[in-house]
Amino acid sequence: MQIDLRTVSIQPQRNAFDHLVRRFGDKPASRYQEGSYDIQAAENLHYRPTWDPDQQLYDAGITRIAMRDWYALKDPRQFYYSTYTLTRARQQDTTEANFAFVESRGLADRLAPELREAVLRLLVPLRHAAWGANQNNTFVCGYGFGTAFTQPCMYHAMDNLGIAQYLSRLGMMLGDVEALDAGKAAWLDGPAWQPLRRYVEDCMVVRDPFELFVAQNAALDGLLYPLVYARIVDDELSARGASAVAMLTQFMAEWFDETRKWVDAVLKTAAAESDHNREVLQGWMAHWSDRAAAALVPVVELVLGVDADEAVAVQIAAFKARIHKTGISF
Amino acid sequence: MDMKATKKKLGMKERYRVLTRDLGWEPGYQSKEAIFPYVRYEGIKVHDWDKWEDPFRLTMDAYWKYQAEKERKFYAIIDAHAQNNGHLNLTDARYLSALKIFLQAISPGEYAAHKGFARIGREFPGVGTQVACQMQAIDEIRHAQTQIHAMSNYNRYYDGFHAFADARDRIWYTSVARSFFDDAMSAGPFEFMIAIGFSFEYVLTNLLFVPFMSGAAYNGDMATVTFGFSAQSDEARHMTLGLECIKFMLEQDPDNLPIVQGWIDKWFWRGFRVLGLVSTMMDYMLPKRVMSWREAWEIYGVENGGALFRDLARYGIRPPKGWDDAEQAIDHMSHQFMLGLYQWSFGTAFHSWIPSDDDMAWLSAKYPDTFDRHYRPRWAHIKKLKAAGTPFKNYGLARLCQCCQLPCVFTEPGDPTLTCHRETVYKGEKYQFCSDGCKDIFEHEPEKYIQAWLPMPALFSELGGDVAAWMDWVNLRDGADNGDYDGSRDQKHFDEWRGLATSNL
Ligand SMILES: [Fe+2]
Ligand SMILES: [Fe+2]
Ligand SMILES: [Zn+2]
């Protein structure tokens, strides 16, 4: 039924849902707030999981990090489903245009063979690492506590899958399906990739969601993305004539710049919560970033050769400086 | 070498395989048992995850693009709806009771589905299965959010919406839906898939969403129509996932059949009980009705469900055990439930009311065998009490079913004059049930169901039966959120605002 309504001004009875008024005061709430705060069941959970009766259905106790309020871990991007998807759809338009540009100009075909080889050798096996990241972020979303913390992990997991798919397309564009097969063989058996694969598989058995967040999103990706996409693709390979490749990985570079702000905000809030948290985070960060750095050296060597150690060392220093700002020193 | 000339064109299926399944690998540094620890204990045998057929082939680039288009449209419409006082287009504010129940009981289920699919999107060892589950996980948080956003504007003007997060965890009738989703999430990954992916999405979703969305359309609720419409293509994917999953389990090993059949029996009955709320909405809460619950059941239950189970018969699956009991309950459940809601309306964060003479004429036409005989006399009695100034209120303790958590208000299959009660004793404790279906479910997993949090006994043990204290605890505003629609604030406001908006002065 559509009736003709005159424009009238009527008095709203309230500004927002009660749980949001309790948190933010009696004023209209944002869509991020409505879609994020207190929407996970909090009380009177009915049954213990049959898959692990020691846990509750939503259990803040399965991580060593303790928060009085898990909703303090808010996302500075204020992503909820809509803003997340709109942002990625825009980036996808750009990426699609970049792929089309490289394709239509035949830029990939004009790469010198040894350069093409280097690109494939480095980037194609990383599609498996991105899949590992997807697994780990899906885990953090599934088992982490509180929507503010877990919802961005689902978005992050889908991003990880998207990146794995962009890398696969890049591989096919430069070297057909054979390049993917070769990349997978290297991931499984190539000596350069084994420390990284071990790192990823070891993460897949970590069942503390916050530790996994640190190991994957801070320690590993915090070193891998700047090394691979900034230092190697944007600097080294572009200088050698492969700037077309940088167009194909523009998404990854921008994505890292955007998402690290979220990762840092989460770390900073958790560390500021208590000395206990800070100590736990320091321990994890030291452990996993050491391992990540060691795992990345042979990968970086694939392109930078003898310069790999130095490149990794420079990045470790930058990473430490970044993480120190969150209140975590290691 | 001209790369272009040699490049292979991959078919859709092969291309999708390369972009998803081929990303995974056999682990070498950790065992599969350690990486996927929950995939064996339910007894389902899977020999080859590669036999999984992708139910839809959506890569992330396409996902972002399609979903963003839908999001843009959705928010444009609900923004306009809020700006133009779209709520005054409703047939009547009584209609909002259905939405209030939805926000308190069903939207939290969307969130639970999100969480559950994230978990199984990690726990299943096959990449194809994982990706499909992950996409459902992100879709389901979308549904929770679009529903909250669509109803946010109603909350600004009407009672009963404001405390949905408190109601979700504390009020009595939401535990029907909450216990359903908690039950599924506390089960293993395969049972979760049957519970939500198959029974809920495939068998029951049409009974929930189609009547609900048409009810919204008939009653001028553009906000709800919009979120329903926008979720439709997501739901189509979820349904194909549920069906693929059940076929996959049945094809992998003959030993899976009895386990799957047991879950189908259980989750059909669990779901059917949750739908009791929908039956009431359709028969009583829509000022302008779409079809009766009986008619919806004929189309979406009997016809669609019948076709589905005929299709699954080749795997040895038979229709769910409770099907015949369900069929017998169809002509009674909405009346029994609305009578219950009316007498306990002091404790609901939505309004109920006595059906008008027109309503009753419609009900007797739609339920010729049951309404006039069994339910009209009870409404007539309640109406008389109200006219005499002594409205019928039941402050007594409703006996809740230990399994489905509905009050035991349903009658015996075959005898609509006799209320159905079942009991069982487990470890010296007595437990009550509304039906054979619920009792069977309990007896199959007593250790699970004895843990159920039952809101009514909790009220009496923790708050000593103090109704006012209970209302504070569940955040129910007495005299505003609850009780009869007739004389409510919602009624007064709606009539006044609509008068303003439609008068020529
Ligand atoms: Fe949904
Ligand atoms: Fe769904
Ligand atoms: Zn029951």
Side-chain angles (χ1 to χ4, degrees):
Chain A
M1 183 177 59
Q2 191 67 37
I3 51 172
D4 219 11
L5 293 177
R6 290 193 313 128
T7 320
V8 287
S9 100
I10 54 179
Q11 193 54 39
Q13 301 299 299
R14 59 184 69 74
N15 283 316
F17 294 115
D18 291 354
H19 61 283
L20 299 174
V21 171
R22 291 196 291 262
R23 282 184 179 277
F24 305 109
D26 192 2
K27 53 180 186 223
S30 71
R31 288 201 165 127
Y32 172 69
Q33 291 169 340
E34 289 182 329
S36 310
Y37 287 87
D38 304 303
I39 66 170
Q40 175 190 294
E43 284 181 351
N44 301 321
L45 310 173
H46 287 267
Y47 323 100
R48 295 224 157 221
T50 58
W51 32 268
D52 184 356
D54 292 337
Q55 288 184 32
Q56 296 184 53
L57 213 41
Y58 305 95
D59 196 336
I62 59 173
T63 175
R64 288 173 62 207
I65 295 298
M67 298 293 297
R68 269 159 307 194
D69 175 15
W70 280 87
Y71 288 92
L73 299 173
K74 67 167 183 276
D75 177 357
R77 302 164 301 171
Q78 306 213 5
F79 271 166
Y80 56 103
Y81 183 90
S82 184
T83 46
Y84 162 73
T85 351
L86 292 177
T87 305
R88 291 294 175 263
R90 262 192 306 274
Q91 291 170 290
Q92 155 60 16
D93 279 348
T94 310
T95 308
E96 214 49 59
N98 288 353
F99 268 81
F101 184 86
V102 171
E103 181 99 66
S104 67
R105 303 282 194 292
L107 298 181
D109 302 340
R110 278 195 238 141
L111 286 179
E114 69 280 3
L115 207 49
R116 178 203 311 277
E117 278 313 307
V119 170
L120 291 174
R121 205 161 53 226
L122 173 69
L123 292 184
V124 175
L126 285 175
R127 65 203 269 270
H128 303 292
W131 173 248
N134 160 284
Q135 297 289 280
N136 293 331
N137 278 294
T138 303
F139 182 93
V140 183
C141 173
Y143 296 90
F145 195 87
T147 315
F149 174 52
T150 57
Q151 124 176 275
C153 294
M154 197 68 236
Y155 305 148
H156 213 61
M158 301 322 274
D159 291 342
N160 297 142
L161 176 61
I163 287 169
Q165 293 177 339
Y166 284 144
L167 288 170
S168 307
R169 286 175 58 185
L170 181 153
M172 284 193 284
M173 186 186 267
L174 265 58
D176 235 318
V177 187
E178 285 75 17
L180 303 189
D181 294 341
K184 189 162 191 175
W187 175 254
L188 288 174
D189 296 313
W193 292 97
Q194 297 320 298
L196 182 59
R197 179 158 75 93
R198 180 188 285 268
Y199 185 102
V200 172
E201 290 185 17
D202 286 354
C203 283
M204 289 185 192
V205 299
V206 171
R207 290 219 154 225
D208 176 323
F210 213 105
E211 180 176 2
L212 192 53
F213 176 90
V214 169
Q216 178 67 56
N217 296 339
L220 179 56
D221 286 348
L223 291 171
L224 188 154
Y225 277 75
L227 276 168
V228 169
Y229 297 104
R231 174 70 182 84
I232 299 183
V233 174
D234 288 352
D235 297 349
E236 179 76 17
L237 295 178
S238 292
R240 289 206 235 152
S243 49
V245 175
M247 287 187 74
L248 302 179
T249 60
Q250 187 188 332
F251 178 90
M252 286 71 133
E254 284 175 4
W255 176 82
F256 178 72
D257 282 342
E258 174 212 286
T259 55
R260 57 174 272 186
K261 296 186 185 108
W262 160 61
V263 172
D264 288 353
V266 169
L267 293 173
K268 190 172 181 179
T269 307
E273 174 86 2
S274 65
D275 290 343
H276 162 83
N277 280 1
R278 187 177 293 105
E279 278 157 30
V280 170
L281 288 167
Q282 281 165 351
W284 284 339
M285 201 64 85
H287 171 75
W288 288 106
S289 67
D290 266 4
R291 280 197 57 181
L296 287 168
V297 170
V299 171
V300 173
E301 251 167 7
L302 292 172
V303 176
L304 296 188
V306 289
D307 294 336
D309 279 322
E310 204 212 316
V312 173
V314 168
Q315 199 46 57
I316 292 172
F319 178 71
K320 279 192 169 159
R322 171 191 152 194
I323 297 300
H324 284 185
K325 288 193 200 134
T326 69
I328 301 166
S329 38
F330 61 100
Chain B
M1 187 179 67
D2 182 1
M3 288 296 291
K4 259 192 184 144
T6 61
K7 224 166 257 173
K8 292 186 195 97
K9 273 271 173 279
L10 296 180
M12 275 276 288
K13 187 173 171 182
E14 178 58 13
R15 184 180 144 86
Y16 188 75
R17 187 195 69 79
V18 163
L19 291 176
T20 50
R21 273 184 217 205
D22 194 43
L23 298 173
W25 68 93
E26 280 293 313
Y29 298 102
Q30 293 287 345
S31 69
K32 282 191 99 161
E33 287 70 26
I35 294 177
F36 304 108
Y38 300 152
V39 83
R40 275 166 312 275
Y41 81 100
E42 298 172 273
I44 293 289
K45 294 177 186 158
V46 174
H47 304 288
D48 186 0
W49 281 95
D50 284 341
K51 289 270 159 53
W52 168 266
E53 286 287 338
D54 297 303
F56 46 85
R57 303 194 188 105
L58 200 52
T59 47
M60 281 317 294
D61 49 3
Y63 182 88
W64 289 325
K65 192 167 177 279
Y66 296 146
Q67 299 298 103
E69 264 164 44
K70 294 196 293 181
E71 287 292 295
R72 256 183 235 113
K73 284 187 196 142
F74 171 77
Y75 285 98
I77 294 174
I78 68 161
D79 282 344
H81 183 264
Q83 235 150 50
N84 305 329
N85 286 326
H87 59 97
L88 297 178
N89 273 316
L90 292 177
T91 45
D92 187 75
R94 267 187 303 170
Y95 161 81
L96 293 172
S97 280
L99 280 196
K100 294 170 191 179
I101 297 173
F102 198 97
L103 184 64
Q104 296 166 33
I106 303 298
S107 304
E110 301 277 9
Y111 187 79
H114 151 70
K115 207 65 181 171
F117 272 100
R119 289 174 182 180
I120 66 171
R122 169 62 182 74
E123 299 295 352
F124 279 141
V127 176
T129 325
Q130 289 183 307
V131 169
C133 290
Q134 291 171 12
M135 284 194 177
Q136 181 155 356
I138 188 172
D139 287 341
E140 299 293 3
I141 197 171
R142 165 176 199 245
H143 299 169
Q145 291 175 340
T146 50
Q147 289 164 19
I148 294 167
H149 290 153
M151 296 196 215
S152 170
N153 190 250
Y154 288 118
N155 173 53
R156 301 191 71 208
Y157 294 94
Y158 299 94
D159 295 328
F161 293 97
H162 60 93
F164 80 89
D166 306 300
R168 173 197 65 217
D169 292 345
R170 294 180 171 182
I171 217 164
W172 58 280
Y173 50 89
T174 55
S175 77
V176 176
R178 257 293 299 281
S179 72
F180 176 95
F181 284 98
D182 281 11
D183 192 348
M185 287 180 76
S186 55
F190 289 103
E191 187 183 345
F192 177 86
M193 196 66 216
I194 296 289
I196 308 301
F198 179 71
S199 288
F200 198 77
E201 296 276 355
Y202 205 92
V203 186
L204 304 170
T205 220
N206 280 334
L207 270 165
L208 173 64
F209 278 90
V210 178
F212 205 91
M213 296 316 151
S214 357
Y218 270 51
N219 288 280
D221 174 11
M222 271 310 285
T224 300
V225 172
T226 308
F227 81 64
F229 192 69
S230 191
Q232 227 166 35
S233 50
D234 302 346
E235 297 305 353
R237 269 188 284 116
H238 303 170
M239 288 173 76
T240 53
L241 172 59
L243 193 61
E244 171 51 31
C245 224
I246 197 164
K247 290 184 171 170
F248 178 69
M249 285 184 223
L250 293 168
E251 280 165 4
Q252 279 293 308
D253 197 291
D255 290 353
N256 294 341
L257 175 62
I259 306 176
V260 170
Q261 181 72 57
W263 288 336
I264 290 178
D265 291 346
K266 167 182 171 180
W267 287 100
F268 169 74
W269 190 253
R270 282 298 251 135
F272 183 70
R273 277 303 188 230
V274 173
L275 292 181
L277 293 164
V278 181
S279 71
T280 310
M281 180 204 88
M282 292 189 67
D283 286 343
Y284 284 88
M285 291 184 177
L286 299 180
K288 195 168 169 201
R289 291 177 171 85
V290 180
M291 59 169 89
S292 67
W293 169 246
R294 161 52 80 187
E295 288 161 336
W297 172 255
E298 290 297 333
I299 300 172
Y300 303 110
V302 178
E303 271 178 43
N304 295 2
L308 170 67
F309 285 103
R310 273 193 299 282
D311 179 37
L312 291 175
R314 68 192 147 108
Y315 299 103
I317 289 287
R318 51 158 177 75
K321 194 163 65 178
W323 192 273
D324 294 338
D325 284 352
E327 169 59 40
Q328 289 216 37
I330 296 296
D331 291 334
H332 298 278
M333 58 200 281
S334 66
H335 318 297
Q336 293 167 343
F337 207 63
M338 187 68 175
L339 282 158
L341 290 179
Y342 188 78
Q343 60 176 301
W344 289 302
S345 69
F346 75 94
T348 61
F350 56 86
H351 298 299
S352 38
W353 51 86
I354 300 171
S356 68
D357 292 345
D358 281 356
D359 290 339
M360 294 220 234
W362 184 87
L363 288 164
S364 54
K366 294 295 180 187
Y367 294 95
D369 300 332
T370 57
F371 186 74
D372 285 345
R373 179 132 50 111
H374 302 290
Y375 304 108
R376 186 188 281 275
R378 290 170 66 185
W379 283 118
H381 176 66
I382 288 173
K383 205 170 164 181
K384 213 185 299 165
L385 289 175
K386 189 181 170 189
T390 53
F392 181 55
K393 286 202 168 106
N394 184 349
Y395 291 105
L397 178 61
R399 181 162 26 180
L400 298 187
C401 174
Q402 184 74 24
C403 173
C404 73
Q405 308 237 349
L406 282 166
C408 297
V409 296
F410 304 105
T411 49
E412 286 288 346
D415 186 355
T417 63
L418 203 66
T419 306
C420 183
H421 278 137
R422 297 288 181 275
E423 274 180 17
T424 202
V425 174
Y426 182 72
K427 289 186 176 167
E429 283 284 334
K430 204 190 272 178
Y431 297 94
Q432 319 272 356
F433 306 97
C434 72
S435 58
D436 289 325
C438 281
K439 178 168 172 266
D440 287 353
I441 292 169
F442 177 97
E443 284 173 346
H444 193 247
E445 276 179 287
E447 285 299 324
K448 179 180 229 181
Y449 296 100
I450 58 173
Q451 302 170 52
W453 177 77
L454 289 172
M456 290 291 186
L459 148 68
F460 280 79
S461 63
E462 282 157 38
L463 300 166
D466 179 342
V467 172
W470 175 79
M471 286 180 178
D472 282 348
W473 183 66
V474 300
N475 200 1
L476 179 85
R477 313 242 162 99
D478 193 21
D481 297 328
N482 58 356
D484 200 318
Y485 178 72
D486 187 25
S488 67
R489 277 164 38 101
D490 276 6
Q491 183 189 43
K492 183 177 141 283
H493 285 146
F494 182 76
D495 291 350
E496 182 186 308
W497 295 331
R498 170 100 114 212
L500 277 177
T502 51
S503 70
N504 289 314
L505 294 172

